[in-house]
């Protein structure tokens, strides 16, 4: 029997993939090491969305190699062309394989002891259920289609069975996730994403259903209706913007304009908490186009923005193009974060004196229905009704109502 640890960098899909390997190792008779306990095997899901993400993945791998007998690197950076993990110690194995194959590759190398835990519970309060992987589009900055492959979906039956299983395990909040979530489809069974949302949301015992992230082109009237009409759906949607300037969007090979972005979000504005991703310092971005991005973020009512400084990715059309100075990227990123924080706090202030239902996912902290963060003293894993009393730097200070 091997004792193992798992970890991941990057998005929720990376989290799901690593925990799929975790479940396979547990099912094969191995044991997960407790915090601080010595382990034989480390499994690390890597990220390559930026140069910084690759560097962090390398650093995490080197650190794990010093404390574990064997280290397995999976995920996006493990599938980059070349070898971003060259020169790491020989006990590090890079698993260059699709997510569907990685668990079997790692488990086969570690070796099975016996099927002693066939239904391993996820180790977090909420469960992430992957419904789709890969991407068939070619945005100018993005390496994901190269490392994840073309878009492909699970069957609706497999997804719904997993949702039921996670709820039976005790997870009352489910997050549907994927690389390009709106591309989900099971034509044979007649399912698209709106239908899947409705049926997953109707799972007995499920208290809350979320979508992890979705492209604006897939925010259709049918999806908006499903989100608004399914009682368990959380009032939060993460919709990448990337730039609020049309010329930059064209250079990025995005398939929408700022007007489209604003129009499609309008039916959700106010009721839903809207968050996003933005790249600063893209080769086509100048100060004027960045100013338009700030204006678009404010007009869209976004309340939280994940800001990524542009970095060239190997194999993309902009791989050799990076004219914006690092200092300019840093300054623009700081300005955008400041604006997003101001917009977020406006939403928080609107909650003062009001009640909300919060899922406490760690000691002293949890998230409301719209993914607003609350600071509250309540049992981990419980949904509690709270009343917002004050605003703190980290979230909304609340007490059990």
């Amino acid at each position: 029997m091997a004792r193992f640890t798992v970890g991941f960098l990057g998005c929720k899909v990376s989290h799901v993939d690593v925990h799929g390997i975790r479940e396979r190792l547990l099912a094969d008779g191995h044991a997960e090491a407790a915090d601080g306990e010595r382990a034989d095997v480390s499994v690390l899901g890597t990220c390559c969305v930026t140069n910084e993400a690759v560097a962090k993945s390398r650093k995490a791998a080197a650190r794990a190699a010093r404390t574990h007998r064997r280290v397995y690197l999976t995920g996006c950076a493990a599938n980059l062309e070349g070898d971003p993990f060259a020169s790491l110690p020989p006990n590090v194995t890079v698993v260059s394989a699709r997510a569907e194959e990685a668990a079997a590759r790692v488990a086969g190398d570690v070796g099975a002891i016996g099927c002693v835990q066939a239904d391993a519970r996820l180790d977090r309060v909420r469960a992430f259920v992957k419904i789709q992987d890969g991407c068939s589009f070619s945005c100018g900055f993005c390496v994901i289609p190269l490392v994840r492959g073309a878009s492909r979906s699970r069957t609706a039956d497999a997804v719904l069975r997993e949702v039921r299983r996670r709820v039976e395990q005790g997870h009352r909040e489910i997050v549907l996730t994927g690389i390009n979530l709106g591309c989900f489809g099971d034509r044979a069974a007649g399912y698209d994403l709106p239908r899947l949302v409705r049926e997953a949301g109707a799972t007995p015992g499920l208290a809350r259903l979320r979508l992890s992230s979705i492209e604006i082109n897939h925010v259709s009237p049918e999806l908006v209706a499903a989100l608004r009409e399914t009682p368990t759906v959380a009032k939060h949607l993460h919709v990448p913007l990337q730039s609020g300037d049309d010329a930059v969007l064209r250079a990025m090979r995005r398939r929408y304009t700022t007007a489209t972005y604003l129009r499609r979000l309008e039916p959700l504005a106010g009721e839903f908490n809207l968050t996003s991703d933005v790249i600063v310092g893209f080769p086509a971005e100048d100060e004027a186009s960045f100013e338009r991005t700030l204006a678009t973020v404010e007009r869209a009512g976004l309340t939280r923005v994940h800001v990524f400084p542009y970095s060239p990715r190997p194999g993309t059309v902009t791989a050799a193009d990076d004219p914006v100075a690092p200092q300019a990227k840093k300054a623009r990123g700081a300005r955008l974060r400041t604006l997003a924080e101001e917009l977020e706090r406006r939403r928080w202030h609107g909650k003062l004196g009001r009640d909300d239902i919060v899922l406490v996912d760690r000691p002293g902290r949890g998230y409301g229905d719209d993914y607003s963060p609350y600071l509250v003293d309540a049992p981990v894993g419980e949904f509690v009704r709270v009343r917002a009393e004050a605003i703190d730097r980290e979230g909304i200070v609340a007490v059990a109502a």
Side-chain angles (χ1 to χ4, degrees), residues 224-296:
V224 169
L227 295 174
R228 299 184 73 175
E229 295 168 7
T230 305
T232 53
V233 166
K235 298 299 189 287
H236 167 249
L237 205 60
H238 186 85
V239 189
L241 172 63
Q242 306 305 4
S243 175
D245 177 83
D246 286 345
V248 175
L249 288 174
R250 286 194 298 273
M252 287 179 166
R253 298 188 177 183
R254 302 290 282 173
R255 298 168 297 113
Y256 54 86
T257 63
T258 54
T260 299
Y261 188 90
L262 294 168
R263 184 182 70 254
R264 293 200 172 206
L265 287 186
E266 189 174 3
L268 300 173
E271 180 183 2
F272 277 65
N273 183 22
L274 303 173
T275 59
S276 193
D277 300 330
V278 172
I279 296 171
V280 296
F282 189 77
E285 182 184 83
D286 57 18
E287 287 297 330
S289 54
F290 176 69
E291 291 288 345
R292 285 188 280 274
T293 293
L294 293 177
T296 302

Side-chain angles (χ1 to χ4, degrees), residues 15-85:
H15 167 266
V16 173
D17 291 344
V18 164
H19 281 266
I21 299 173
R22 170 184 177 265
E23 290 189 303
R24 174 62 183 270
L25 292 175
L26 289 171
D28 281 356
H30 304 292
E32 189 169 16
D35 290 343
E37 185 180 6
R38 186 174 181 82
D40 306 297
V41 172
S42 170
V43 179
L44 180 66
T46 62
C47 180
C48 67
V49 68
T50 62
N51 288 333
E52 182 182 4
V54 176
K56 287 182 177 179
S57 296
R58 276 186 57 87
K59 187 176 294 186
R63 189 164 52 244
R66 293 192 293 269
T67 56
H68 295 74
R69 187 163 55 88
R70 285 179 286 176
V71 178
Y72 295 93
L73 304 183
T74 65
C76 290
N79 286 284
L80 279 174
E81 287 188 7
D83 187 0
F85 302 106

Side-chain angles (χ1 to χ4, degrees), residues 51 80-81 139-143 146 251-253 282-283 310-323 329:
N51 288 333
L80 279 174
E81 287 188 7
C139 296
F141 56 85
C142 186
V143 75
L146 301 177
M252 287 179 166
R253 298 188 177 183
F282 189 77
Y310 168 77
S311 60
R313 312 310 304 129
T316 66
V317 296
T318 58
D321 198 7
D322 190 18
K329 294 178 186 178

